[in-house]
């Protein structure tokens, strides 16, 4: 798919965007939407893992551009760095009270 400003979005970029989207949604579910419901966020983490695996396979077979590399780094930080730390903090607070 071509965008008007000459950046081509490939399938591996779509998988990365799915990873980023579900990671962000999981954080929103943990922080704002449903404060006590961590099972939806845990399911979103599993979707992030599957999307990251699909992105890795597609990037190895089809190559990766600079945009894809930057998106993948951001998605990995959110889905596997920030999200698990928030989930751990929320579960620790729930167990201590």
């Amino acid at each position: 798919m071509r965008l008007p400003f000459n950046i081509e979005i490939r399938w591996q970029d779509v998988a990365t965007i799915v990873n980023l989207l579900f990671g962000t949604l999981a954080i929103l579910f943990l922080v704002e939407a449903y404060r006590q419901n961590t099972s939806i966020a845990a399911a979103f983490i599993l979707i992030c893992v599957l999307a990251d695996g699909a992105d890795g396979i597609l990037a190895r077979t089809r190559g990766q551009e600079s945009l894809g590399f930057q998106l993948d780094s951001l998605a990995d930080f959110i889905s596997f760095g920030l999200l698990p730390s928030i989930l751990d903090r929320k579960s620790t607070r729930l167990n201590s009270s």
Side-chain angles (χ1 to χ4, degrees), residues 29-71:
F29 267 82
L30 282 175
V31 174
E32 290 297 324
Y34 302 100
R35 294 181 189 269
Q36 302 297 323
N37 196 351
T38 58
S39 60
I40 292 174
F44 284 170
I45 291 174
L46 292 176
I47 293 171
C48 290
V49 168
L50 293 174
D52 190 54
D55 166 53
I57 291 170
L58 288 169
R60 278 190 291 283
T61 58
R62 297 179 180 210
Q64 190 170 23
E65 296 287 324
S66 176
L67 174 69
F69 181 74
Q70 299 299 327
L71 278 176

